[in-house]
Amino acid sequence: MAPAATEPTHGDGIVIADTTVLTLRKVLVSESSPLASRFRALFSLKHLASQSPPTAQTIPAIEAIAAAFASPSALLKHELAYCLGQTRNFAAVPSLTQVLKDNSEDPMCRHEAAEALGALGHEGSLALLRQYRDDASEQVVVRETCEIAVSRIEWEHSTARAHERLKNSDFASIDPAPPMSMLDRKSAATEVAALEKTLLDDTLPLFVRYRAMFALRDLASPPDLPSAVPAVLSLAKGLMDKSALFRHEIAFVFGQLSHPASIPALITALSDQKEESMVRHEAAEALGSLGDEDGVEDVLKRFLNDPEQVVRESVIVALDMAEFEKAGEKEYATVPVIAAVAA
């Protein structure tokens, strides 16, 4: 994995002088720093790494994020991979490739590395992604993620993409699959029903079902849309799917939406001790985004001593997110809060 140097160098060996990136990097790679502080540092670095056009901080921020792959925390490494996939910068590809290739790495981290390569749209990664997609001995969650990533890259570079009529989204994230093309239907209710049918049809390719998932997400935002609650309830049915990867993505979408109608389904997923930890972790973090809703913090606190480390850590982060939500902040962490992050 990438070295966790406190005095990073860039390319030709010149020491990076940017104190903002360096301060955030020190917090992120420090195993003695509180996990919540490390997450805030991570999302601050993601902000710097994702600037368009790139700045002098872009590559150092990407390198700082990659340096933390040396951590033993699967939750943190999973989040590192996600953030690198959101940078739109191919400088993140080598680190993500290394994580995906590391068979000793937690499958949750390898899955996120594969998803990030798909989010970057890196055609040079297609051969590797297809290799893992087609390897019957590979972890299911890794195979399924590679299947979606291959489809996403192929879609992104296809001529058909230019002819699709996509609904404008309230979300700036690069999703594992684009929302399904707008349907020429008479009502939002009819559209929700059609998308739900696609979402729940496990005979369809995962990429197609994911497209329905993100289309339903967009029909649930803003939350006062007439289609919002029906779309959330349709998405909640996906938490019964046989694929842990699929269930985990539903919980992630609920975290994006922060819609109160998703709370019962998220609590059920988090409370299920037989559920996969990657699903429970996303459910916990999604509840953190709803931390200003009555009773949510109390629910999260019940799982601070959960047997699963990734769930315990997710609850710590979720409770920190809940405090952020109650403070009325728009972003969980951005560069202006560096003083608080470094404290």
Side-chain angles (χ1 to χ4, degrees):
M1 296 300 175
T6 56
E7 291 292 338
T9 60
H10 175 45
D12 53 7
I14 299 173
V15 176
I16 298 169
D18 188 287
T19 56
T20 299
V21 173
L22 182 56
T23 299
L24 291 168
R25 179 177 176 138
K26 286 180 176 178
V27 174
L28 179 62
V29 303
S30 171
E31 294 300 325
S32 62
S33 294
L35 188 62
S37 296
R38 298 175 78 183
F39 265 66
R40 292 196 182 203
L42 170 59
F43 282 95
S44 294
L45 285 164
K46 171 179 170 284
H47 172 78
L48 296 175
S50 305
Q51 294 299 297
S52 182
T55 70
Q57 294 176 314
T58 299
I59 299 301
I62 289 172
E63 292 173 346
I65 293 171
F69 277 124
S71 174
S73 170
L75 176 67
L76 179 64
K77 288 183 287 189
H78 163 276
E79 211 68 32
L80 299 174
Y82 170 76
C83 288
L84 288 175
Q86 298 296 302
T87 62
R88 295 181 169 86
N89 195 308
F90 287 173
V93 168
S95 296
L96 292 168
T97 300
Q98 190 174 354
V99 173
L100 176 57
K101 286 182 173 180
D102 185 357
N103 290 326
S104 66
E105 185 56 271
D106 190 293
M108 190 172 82
C109 304
R110 296 180 64 218
H111 123 75
E112 198 64 43
E115 184 175 291
L117 290 169
L120 290 172
H122 187 246
E123 288 186 286
S125 298
L126 278 172
L128 181 65
L129 291 167
R130 288 174 179 141
Q131 174 188 327
Y132 286 116
R133 177 197 64 185
D134 298 336
D135 184 353
S137 66
E138 186 52 81
Q139 297 274 352
V140 173
V141 67
V142 175
R143 288 205 320 268
E144 289 182 342
T145 306
C146 289
E147 173 192 335
I148 296 167
V150 167
S151 295
R152 192 196 190 287
I153 295 172
E154 290 176 342
W155 170 84
E156 185 169 343
H157 296 279
S158 69
T159 55
R161 177 191 178 188
H163 302 292
E164 290 198 33
R165 191 160 57 94
L166 300 180
K167 178 181 181 292
N168 291 332
S169 177
D170 293 339
F171 302 92
S173 57
I174 307 172
D175 302 316
M180 193 162 279
S181 299
M182 292 177 64
L183 303 176
D184 295 322
R185 301 194 182 270
K186 295 181 180 179
S187 69
T190 305
E191 188 167 11
V192 168
L195 289 169
E196 178 185 312
K197 183 178 179 181
T198 300
L199 177 81
L200 301 179
D201 186 351
D202 62 10
T203 67
L204 294 173
L206 279 168
F207 183 71
V208 174
R209 300 177 68 200
Y210 266 48
R211 295 198 67 178
M213 185 190 304
F214 286 100
L216 283 166
R217 176 201 64 183
D218 288 349
L219 286 173
S221 180
D224 57 353
L225 281 179
S227 58
V229 171
V232 168
L233 296 179
S234 290
L235 286 165
K237 294 177 183 178
L239 286 171
M240 303 300 293
D241 196 79
K242 64 183 180 181
S243 166
L245 178 70
F246 192 86
R247 299 194 302 273
H248 135 284
E249 200 66 28
I250 292 284
F252 171 80
V253 165
F254 280 161
Q256 288 187 304
L257 287 170
S258 301
H259 197 294
S262 68
I263 291 175
L266 289 169
I267 292 176
T268 298
L270 175 59
S271 302
D272 185 357
Q273 298 287 338
K274 296 180 180 179
E275 179 57 279
E276 295 289 340
S277 58
M278 70 182 297
V279 181
R280 297 181 67 216
H281 119 74
E282 286 290 0
E285 291 193 7
L287 286 168
S289 73
L290 287 153
D292 55 348
E293 298 291 331
D294 289 344
V296 168
E297 281 190 280
D298 290 337
V299 169
L300 286 168
K301 288 175 182 177
R302 292 186 353 225
F303 298 93
L304 279 169
N305 296 311
D306 193 87
E308 293 281 351
Q309 180 179 346
V310 70
V311 175
R312 293 195 304 272
E313 291 182 344
S314 296
V315 169
I316 291 171
V317 173
L319 287 169
D320 189 55
M321 291 168 62
E323 288 299 316
F324 217 73
E325 289 292 327
K326 288 196 296 184
E329 300 287 349
K330 291 184 178 180
E331 297 290 343
Y332 179 53
T334 51
V335 174
V337 299
I338 183 172
V341 170

